[in-house]
Amino acid sequence: MPLAALLFLPLALQAGNAPPLPRAPLEIPRRKTDTKTEALPPSRLQQCLDLSRTAPVAAVVQARAWLDTAKGSARAEPGRCLGVALSAQEQWDEAAAAFLAARDASAANERVEIARLGGMAGNAALAAGKPDMALAALDRAHGDALGAGDAALTALLSIDRARALVALGRDGDAAAALAEARSGAPAEAQGWLLSATLSRRQGKLAEAQTQIQQAATLAPLDPEVGLEAGVIAALGGRDEAARKSFTSVIHAAPGSDLARRAQQYLDQLGPAAAPSR
C-alpha cells in the first residue's frame, strides 16, 4: 500500500482508532476548616468516585444503593458516580444514560455541573458509537456552559462537539467548533492536535503544519502529537522530519498501539538516504 494511502487510515479526528473516553470528573473542592491541621474527610461523592477507580463494580453497587434513597436534585451526585463507575467498565450506553439522568436531576442553578454532566454523557455516547446521541448531549452542554459563562468548559465541549461532527461527516461544522475551541482555550493542546488532523484530512497541509507545531509547543512529549506531526511531514514530502517524529513516538510510548503504527509508517518510508560525499 502506498505511504499516502496508509497515512490516511487513522480515524477521523483522533490519532488512534479508540473512541474518546469521557473526561474525568473534576474533584469536588473541600470546604476550608477553622483548624489548620485537621482536614475534613472526603465527601460521599468523592469516596464513591475514588472507589470507581479501584473497584468499579463495587462503586456501581454503592451508587445504585445511594440512588435508591436519594430524592430530587440529591440524585445528581450518585448518578454521576454511577456513570463514572460504568465508564470504568466500558459500559458506555449505561454510562451515558446515568450521566443524562444525573444532569436532569441537577438543580437548575447548577449550570456548570449540568454542562459537565452533559459533556460526560456525550463522550460516553461517542465511545458507544452513537455520534447522533452524543452531539445532542454535547450541543445542550455547550449551551449550558455558555450560559454559565464558563469559557474554559465551553472550549472543551467545542472539542468534543468536533469529534461528534466528524463522526457524522460534518467536517465544516467540526472546523468551526475547533476554531471556537482554539480561541476559547488557546493553551489546550488537544484542540490544536485535532485541528491539525482535520486540516490534514482536508488537504490543507500548510494549516495543518502550523496547528501541529502549536500542539507540539504545548505538549512536546505527547505521542499522539508526534504521530500526527510525522503524518503531516510525510505527506508534505519532508521524510526526514517524519522519521524523527515517528521515532519519537516509539521512544515515548514503547509497546503501545501508537508506537506500532509509527513503526509501520517508518517501514513504509524506508531507510534514510545515505549522505552524499
Side-chain angles (χ1 to χ4, degrees), residues 123-217:
N123 274 276
L126 271 176
K130 296 180 177 178
D132 284 307
M133 176 183 173
L135 185 60
L138 291 166
D139 279 348
R140 175 173 165 180
H142 181 264
D144 287 326
L146 272 175
D150 192 321
L153 181 56
T154 299
L156 292 175
L157 288 166
S158 293
I159 294 174
D160 294 335
R161 288 185 65 248
R163 290 189 178 100
L165 288 163
V166 166
L168 292 168
R170 295 169 55 183
D171 286 3
D173 292 332
L178 287 170
E180 180 184 5
R182 296 193 305 273
S183 175
E188 178 62 44
Q190 191 74 357
W192 292 98
L193 168 61
L194 300 183
S195 296
T197 307
L198 181 58
S199 295
R200 184 256 296 169
R201 289 179 67 247
Q202 294 175 323
K204 302 174 182 178
L205 289 184
E207 289 183 26
Q209 181 61 32
T210 299
Q211 290 160 346
I212 201 62
Q213 285 176 341
Q214 183 62 22
T217 298

Side-chain angles (χ1 to χ4, degrees), residues 54-74:
T54 57
V57 175
V60 167
V61 173
Q62 184 178 107
R64 284 180 170 152
W66 186 5
L67 272 169
D68 287 342
T69 61
K71 305 293 183 183
S73 62

Side-chain angles (χ1 to χ4, degrees), residues 38-271:
E38 183 178 353
L40 287 174
S43 67
R44 186 174 183 180
L45 173 60
Q46 193 58 56
Q47 290 176 350
C48 189
L49 292 174
D50 290 343
L51 184 62
S52 71
R53 298 184 186 100
T54 57
V57 175
V60 167
V61 173
Q62 184 178 107
R64 284 180 170 152
W66 186 5
L67 272 169
D68 287 342
T69 61
K71 305 293 183 183
S73 62
R75 295 177 60 82
E77 289 192 349
R80 174 178 167 181
C81 184
L82 178 61
V84 171
L86 290 167
S87 296
Q89 299 175 75
E90 299 186 4
Q91 297 180 29
W92 302 118
D93 286 316
E94 295 85 349
F99 287 132
L100 288 176
R103 179 199 68 185
D104 294 343
S106 298
N109 62 341
E110 295 287 343
R111 202 80 182 269
V112 171
E113 185 63 14
I114 288 171
R116 188 178 290 115
L117 287 165
M120 296 171 80
N123 274 276
L126 271 176
K130 296 180 177 178
D132 284 307
M133 176 183 173
L135 185 60
L138 291 166
D139 279 348
R140 175 173 165 180
H142 181 264
D144 287 326
L146 272 175
D150 192 321
L153 181 56
T154 299
L156 292 175
L157 288 166
S158 293
I159 294 174
D160 294 335
R161 288 185 65 248
R163 290 189 178 100
L165 288 163
V166 166
L168 292 168
R170 295 169 55 183
D171 286 3
D173 292 332
L178 287 170
E180 180 184 5
R182 296 193 305 273
S183 175
E188 178 62 44
Q190 191 74 357
W192 292 98
L193 168 61
L194 300 183
S195 296
T197 307
L198 181 58
S199 295
R200 184 256 296 169
R201 289 179 67 247
Q202 294 175 323
K204 302 174 182 178
L205 289 184
E207 289 183 26
Q209 181 61 32
T210 299
Q211 290 160 346
I212 201 62
Q213 285 176 341
Q214 183 62 22
T217 298
L218 294 168
L221 302 180
D222 188 331
E224 289 190 356
V225 173
L227 188 69
E228 184 59 39
V231 170
I232 292 168
L235 291 176
R238 295 178 291 112
D239 288 0
E240 190 54 35
R243 288 189 183 91
K244 289 181 180 178
S245 291
F246 293 142
T247 300
S248 75
V249 174
I250 295 170
H251 291 161
S256 67
D257 182 62
L258 291 173
R260 178 184 60 79
R261 286 172 49 201
Q263 186 61 58
Q264 289 177 340
Y265 294 161
L266 281 172
D267 294 342
Q268 287 287 316
L269 284 170

Side-chain angles (χ1 to χ4, degrees), residues 11-28:
L11 170 72
L13 278 178
Q14 297 188 69
N17 288 328
L21 298 178
R23 297 189 181 280
L26 300 179
E27 289 192 3
I28 304 301

